[in-house]
Amino acid sequence: MCVALGLLCFAGSSALGQATPLRVTINAKAGLQYDVVRFEAKPASKVELKLVNNDDMAHNLVLTKPGQRETVANAALALGTEGDAKNWVPDLDSVLFSTPVLKPDSSHVLRFITPKLPGVYPYVCTFPGHGLLMYGAMYVGVPMPPLEKDGNVPEAARQGKTEARQFHAWGEKRPLMYRIFMPEASPAAIAVALKHGQNYCWDAGQCRLRYAWYGGFVDPWPVWRGNGHGLAKVLGTKYWESDVPGSIKIGDSEAEPKFLGYRKVDGQPEFHYRVNGVDVYELITPLHSVIGIQRSFRIPNNTKPVVLPVGPTGRVAFEHSAGKLKDGLLALTAGEAASFTVSIGLIK
Amino acid sequence: MKMMSVLKTFLTVVGLVFVVGLRAAGIGDYYSIENIAMPKGLDAQVGGLDTMPDGRLVACFHRGEVYTYQPKTGEWKLFADGLQEPLGIRAISDREVVVMQRPELTRIIDENGDGVADRYQTIHDGFGMTGNYHEFAFGPARDAKGNFYVGLNLASNGASIRPELRGEFRHYGLDREGFKSKSYKGPAGRMYAATPYRGWVLKISLDGNMTPFAPGFRSPNGLGVDLQDRLFVTDNQGDWLGTSKLFHVQQGRFYGHPASLTWSGDWKKGRNPLKVAAGEFDAMRTRAAVLFPQGFMANSPTQPLPDSTKGRFGPFAGQLLVGEMNRSRIVRVMLDEVAGELQGACVPFYDAAGLTRGSHRFVFGSDGSLWVGQTHLSWVGGEGVQRIRWNGKTPMDVQSMKLIPGGFQITFTKRLAKSTHVPDQFKFKRYYYEYRQGYGSPQNGTEAIKVAGSKRLGDEKTMMVYLDKMNPGYIYQLDLKGVEAEDGSAVVNPLICYTLNRLTNGDDKAPHLVRK
């Protein structure tokens, strides 16, 4: 259908055959971003748009009619199990052109004729959950406003954050963790960037997950620029924040948890702490098809019942592999708790 | 005309001699320095420096990285990352380091031997944090038994405390709400200890047993153990510190800054040290072994490191070297045991000659060269790593300065010139810094001290110098400008400051240190 529309435009234009197409290359980057968040094109002109996927997860690019970005992204989500077969492109008139879903390190060239009607035509990654952050706009026959005032590009790009500052000798990498002063956490906080633009804050002072966000990681500069005064800034959208205080509870004791460190598993920390004399191991990994994280717990050598505060569970896609959930608390038997997972997904 | 020409030639010769004479007084004639190329993109502010048994250097940096450096190839390799302001590192083996970072003492282990750490094991995190930026955590020094010593900074009233803390909250002037008020600064005190063991040195075993070792510190950036297994800690001029200091730290003693006493079992809960007369603390405290006069010796001393090279780094084997943040300088300390306690003198050791400012952490390589790492944070300093080597020539300097009844015994590294005339060339003065709550102290009681007599010993290197006033509680400053060795070389570092806490008879009464 998109192709048909393109052909229609082509057929209706006379001088197009000779014109050199406008060539645009857009890279999909880590942290759910396109590196080019906007470009200008003339009405009814040829465009060769090359999408290069430099990220470690799948992405596509869908051009929509003006104002239809969110509608299209939400309709893609609703495809559910049919999504993969359709490249996550919904059957809607508001979809103009689209690439297939590109695996990491692949590219695709989309050739099309821009619409005759001047306007701002959004493009968006409709892979589930990505559309919230990963989008841009094609300006057809209308001038672009200053970037910092452009409501058609993501907030991070408006703030000039697309070019991430290099803080280390290794450039950008995920997973990555910082022990650093964080907002809404104790001074012994840990910030972790996982793959797929997933991030979380875990509190080594209280041995518990504090919040999770998607998008960029943190700006450590407020802490690192000088003597450590300041807090790292979360560069993304927080979608879950613990509202049930306290660490995991083992048995009846109200004993304070004791942080014992972590082991790096594929670059991701598996936290180790001790509660009421029992060793607990917690590994947090990204979910794959949707925005979200999975918490994998191991509590070997335990004979006591376990209660894990997991709230809030209402506004996220919360899943647990074992136990009974009530009022933000997950209750497990010692057997269930030996190895279990809970996941927090953005999309309900 | 002829006369003029002769005069000109004469002046030129004099000028040359003068220039040569000046050059000979530089430490750069005796030591060479090399700048080490750092990984590109790294913020090379050094928090800690050590060598591994296999000869690699290991360093931790401001943004949380730990790198190893192979001196043979000049290659840096990332060992660990993600640490929070690490300010000290000790290698345990070729695969393990112990790092002091803001929240804890951590053992970092490369379990699979690929040169990259896999496991970060918390040795001890049982002290408090308010989130105040000034709560740096320093060390670890390690003693012969393998115990670690760390220093916990006080918080600064340049900032308040954060909504969430780690550890118990306790403060003599303010509750937690009070810390939110705009007028928290006064009642907080310039430096405060609102969570446990701020202002303390802790002793921690590798398996995590912690002993609160000694209170009384303000900003104990430098911790080191000397070749006799004695612990030394430097502290920075500020409130209760008239000038910066080097303490010989022993268990259970109090080192002068009272904010830390909040966490001492002997201190009455809620008693406000800001309202206690200085005399009470003066009676409790152990004075610093060495004072670094502010402004010209050291403003912010860093790590004390004993010269463990047995002479491969020059003539000062066994003595302590101490870094200084504010200028291109490493200071040398000459300790003197008097009536059972350590006191002694400080003298610049390495000045300028290519040294970057901000020398923060040190370690000797197995070849006897000194590795130096710099930092600055938001203060004066530098960054990077340098390596200093001795070229085998002996600088003319004071080798040791010891108290004797009525004066000092001063030994030089070389034989003194025959023409040495003590009353003209050994210029003494003395002064003191007050012990008081205020920030720093001016030099007080400054007066020139006359040489009453002198005697040169048969080694031609040692001079006994007798002074007409010797009293405890003063810095005796000696200026040796003009003194030369027998071979004509001038004293490289002619300014020496001896901290006279007590006389050889044990008299340490110094009531003038506390203003009535």
Side-chain angles (χ1 to χ4, degrees), chain A residues 170-221:
Chain A
W170 59 73
E172 238 176 79
K173 83 176 172 189
R174 281 177 182 259
L176 182 63
M177 71 167 271
Y178 292 156
R179 304 196 68 163
I180 195 164
F181 286 146
M182 291 288 287
E184 288 20 280
S186 90
I190 296 174
V192 180
L194 300 172
K195 289 196 171 183
H196 313 330
Q198 303 307 304
N199 313 276
Y200 68 86
C201 173
W202 200 89
D203 198 327
Q206 299 170 13
C207 296
R208 66 185 182 112
L209 179 66
R210 297 301 297 256
Y211 49 88
W213 73 96
Y214 60 84
F217 183 34
V218 293
D219 178 7
W221 193 238

Side-chain angles (χ1 to χ4, degrees), chain B residues 179-408:
Chain B
F179 268 101
K180 292 180 189 163
S181 124
K182 276 184 185 151
S183 54
Y184 75 91
K185 287 191 184 212
R190 184 175 279 274
M191 294 285 161
Y192 56 92
T195 51
Y197 303 120
R198 287 285 149 199
W200 285 66
V201 164
L202 310 181
K203 176 181 171 182
I204 303 168
S205 66
L206 188 57
D207 59 10
N209 282 317
M210 188 277 280
T211 310
F213 196 69
F217 300 93
R218 178 182 178 276
S219 187
N221 182 0
L223 292 94
V225 171
D226 77 353
L227 303 183
Q228 286 83 55
D229 214 26
R230 300 176 294 205
L231 176 66
F232 291 89
V233 178
T234 57
D235 205 349
N236 200 104
Q237 188 232 26
D239 52 333
W240 293 104
L241 282 100
T243 197
S244 291
K245 303 181 175 186
L246 176 76
F247 293 107
H248 171 216
V249 176
Q250 293 165 278
Q251 188 166 359
R253 293 198 182 186
F254 165 63
Y255 290 93
H257 197 297
S260 53
L261 293 174
T262 313
W263 301 101
S264 164
D266 301 335
W267 189 256
K268 192 175 158 245
K269 248 191 195 179
R271 189 172 180 222
N272 190 339
L274 299 174
K275 294 179 177 161
V276 175
E280 183 178 329
F281 297 129
D282 186 51
M284 291 165 61
R285 72 173 176 143
T286 294
R287 281 182 226 153
V290 175
L291 302 177
F292 304 106
Q294 182 83 2
F296 58 94
M297 187 61 75
N299 290 10
S300 294
T302 59
Q303 182 191 348
L305 178 78
D307 179 347
S308 54
T309 67
K310 298 183 174 125
R312 280 175 301 162
F313 192 65
F316 308 115
Q319 296 187 3
L320 289 175
L321 301 178
V322 180
E324 145 69 351
M325 290 296 298
N326 291 255
R327 65 188 77 213
S328 306
R329 173 174 288 174
I330 299 168
V331 176
R332 180 164 59 90
V333 164
M334 297 172 280
L335 291 170
D336 186 16
E337 191 170 326
V338 176
E341 291 283 323
L342 290 176
Q343 60 190 32
C346 54
V347 56
F349 158 64
Y350 196 106
D351 258 333
L355 182 69
T356 304
R357 285 195 296 187
S359 290
H360 188 221
R361 296 294 183 251
F362 306 86
V363 68
F364 278 105
S366 54
D367 65 344
S369 63
L370 179 67
W371 297 90
V372 184
Q374 284 100 5
T375 194
H376 54 78
L377 300 188
S378 61
W379 294 282
V380 177
E383 59 187 66
V385 173
Q386 297 183 301
R387 187 180 196 178
I388 303 177
R389 290 180 175 88
W390 182 44
N391 68 9
K393 290 184 211 157
T394 301
M396 179 57 172
D397 256 322
V398 171
Q399 171 83 55
S400 70
M401 181 168 180
K402 291 188 180 302
L403 188 73
I404 53 173
F408 295 100

Side-chain angles (χ1 to χ4, degrees), chain A residues 168 210 224 262-264, chain B residues 62 65 111 118 120 164:
Chain A
H168 305 280
R210 297 301 297 256
W224 288 350
Y262 50 92
R263 184 191 300 268
K264 289 276 186 83
Chain B
H62 175 55
E65 305 93 336
E111 287 183 321
D118 323 287
Y120 297 65
E164 290 189 29

